[in-house]
Amino acid sequence: MEKLSIFKQRKYYVSLLLLLLLLVGSSVYFFGHTYGQETAQFNIPYGDDPKQTLDLYSPNAIISQKQPVIIYVHGGSWKAGTKSNVAEKPSFFTRDGYVFVSVNYRLYPHATYQQMAADVASAVKWVHDHANQYQIDRDNIHLMGHSAGGHLAMLIGTNPTYLGKIGLSLNRIHSIVNLDGPIDINQLVQGNPGYQTVFGHDTNARAEASPLTYAGNKNLPPIFLVSKGGKSTEAFMNKAAAAGNIVGSFETKTLTHREVTKLFGVSSSSVEAQNMTTAVMEFLKRAGEQ
């Protein structure tokens, strides 16, 4: 009977230990482990809403100096998508000495586009405020977004209202890379009326949602556009350049909207995808030196 009792006690303690490990693994926001060549920490909250979280990838090597950071905003038509949709970007950027941060934000219909942009701005504020903790150079913060995420990155990087509301100015953003995100919302809705659910029917309100509206503001961060070109891209570049801003572009020929982000930084991708990656990285290096 005594041996049986001891066996039951051991079994109880083993079960309790397994339960505690399970609870810890499911509840900790801040969990570090090796992911490829980088250290990843997932689901770090930058706000109170469950969607207001980010993933942070750091170079795996021990570094003594602070690193530039890429803050990446996923696409998904403002209605879907997740911060885990990063393809090979974390490994690519951390190998090149960047910290890489991928951001979740609230989505339609639970949030307006203004609230989404405010979420991205709050994530930038979190990175800025926690820079020392993660060996991040807060004077070298770069925004990158794909599709809807590119639009949101451009919006907070050209309209000073969003960052201003949380105590930051546009000069905190060192550069912006827009991977095929719309910059003229009126043009977008005209081509796809389904987006009226997000941006409404009023053309003036949609102009307010358009980064093109703010291209003529002075002292914008350097901006790089990856797109198929067209009138809106040309109009943005002309307007931004006329105001004395730095703006560059890469015009895609064969890459699809999805491939622009999926193949970025992938060494085995097409020649055009590799050329796109090279063009973006040369832009980032020039921006980082300014």
Side-chain angles (χ1 to χ4, degrees):
M1 291 292 292
E2 185 177 354
K3 288 183 177 180
L4 183 59
S5 176
I6 292 173
F7 174 76
K8 287 182 177 180
Q9 287 179 356
R10 289 177 177 173
K11 186 176 180 181
Y12 169 78
Y13 286 123
V14 169
S15 299
L16 182 61
L17 178 61
L18 290 173
L19 178 61
L20 287 171
L21 289 172
L22 180 62
L23 288 173
V24 169
S26 63
S27 63
V28 171
Y29 292 114
F30 201 77
F31 183 71
H33 71 282
T34 299
Y35 183 85
Q37 297 300 312
E38 70 278 359
T39 299
Q41 297 174 319
F42 298 117
N43 298 321
I44 304 172
Y46 65 84
D48 296 329
D49 190 275
K51 277 288 187 181
Q52 294 171 326
T53 60
L54 55 85
D55 296 341
L56 189 148
Y57 304 80
S58 300
N60 206 25
I62 298 175
I63 50 177
S64 58
Q65 63 183 27
K66 293 182 179 179
Q67 307 296 301
V69 60
I70 301 289
I71 300 177
Y72 180 75
V73 190
H74 69 78
S77 298
W78 302 271
K79 302 176 183 180
T82 174
K83 58 183 169 56
S84 62
N85 294 341
V86 289
E88 295 188 21
K89 294 180 194 67
S91 294
F92 175 79
F93 277 108
T94 54
R95 281 198 305 268
D96 205 40
Y98 289 84
V99 175
F100 185 85
V101 175
S102 185
V103 176
N104 263 359
Y105 51 93
R106 290 170 293 173
L107 300 168
Y108 183 86
H110 304 292
T112 64
Y113 83 83
Q114 294 99 324
Q115 290 172 316
M116 300 176 209
D119 282 357
V120 176
S122 294
V124 172
K125 170 74 169 172
W126 186 95
V127 171
H128 179 272
D129 290 350
H130 292 80
N132 290 339
Q133 184 177 346
Y134 296 97
Q135 284 293 92
I136 291 171
D137 180 0
R138 62 165 50 96
D139 293 323
N140 215 338
I141 297 174
H142 305 265
L143 292 182
M144 174 182 283
H146 172 246
S147 192
H151 162 259
L152 295 173
M154 290 282 289
L155 192 59
I156 73 162
T158 56
N159 180 353
T161 302
Y162 292 100
L163 288 173
K165 285 181 178 180
I166 54 174
L168 295 180
S169 63
L170 287 184
N171 63 18
R172 291 290 86 196
I173 306 301
H174 215 62
S175 77
I176 306 168
V177 176
N178 180 9
L179 300 177
D180 212 17
I183 51 181
D184 183 348
I185 299 302
N186 272 312
Q187 183 186 71
L188 174 73
V189 174
Q190 288 167 9
N192 190 335
Y195 287 118
Q196 287 178 348
T197 56
V198 178
F199 295 104
H201 297 265
D202 182 61
T203 56
N204 290 327
R206 296 202 298 250
E208 189 177 328
S210 302
L212 177 60
T213 299
Y214 313 102
N217 288 345
K218 294 184 180 298
N219 301 315
L220 294 180
I223 295 170
F224 195 84
L225 306 176
V226 175
S227 72
K228 292 188 179 298
K231 292 183 178 179
S232 62
T233 298
E234 183 178 358
F236 184 95
M237 294 186 68
N238 289 339
K239 194 174 178 182
N245 297 305
I246 298 172
V247 60
S249 68
F250 180 89
E251 186 173 339
T252 59
K253 301 296 184 183
T254 63
L255 291 174
T256 66
H257 179 67
R258 183 168 177 265
E259 287 174 337
V260 165
T261 184
K262 181 182 178 181
L263 299 181
F264 184 94
V266 179
S267 59
S268 59
S269 60
S270 67
V271 172
E272 185 177 23
Q274 293 181 50
N275 289 340
M276 171 190 67
T277 300
T278 298
V280 170
M281 295 309 294
E282 287 178 350
F283 163 79
L284 287 173
K285 296 298 184 186
R286 290 194 300 271
E289 292 168 356
Q290 292 177 0

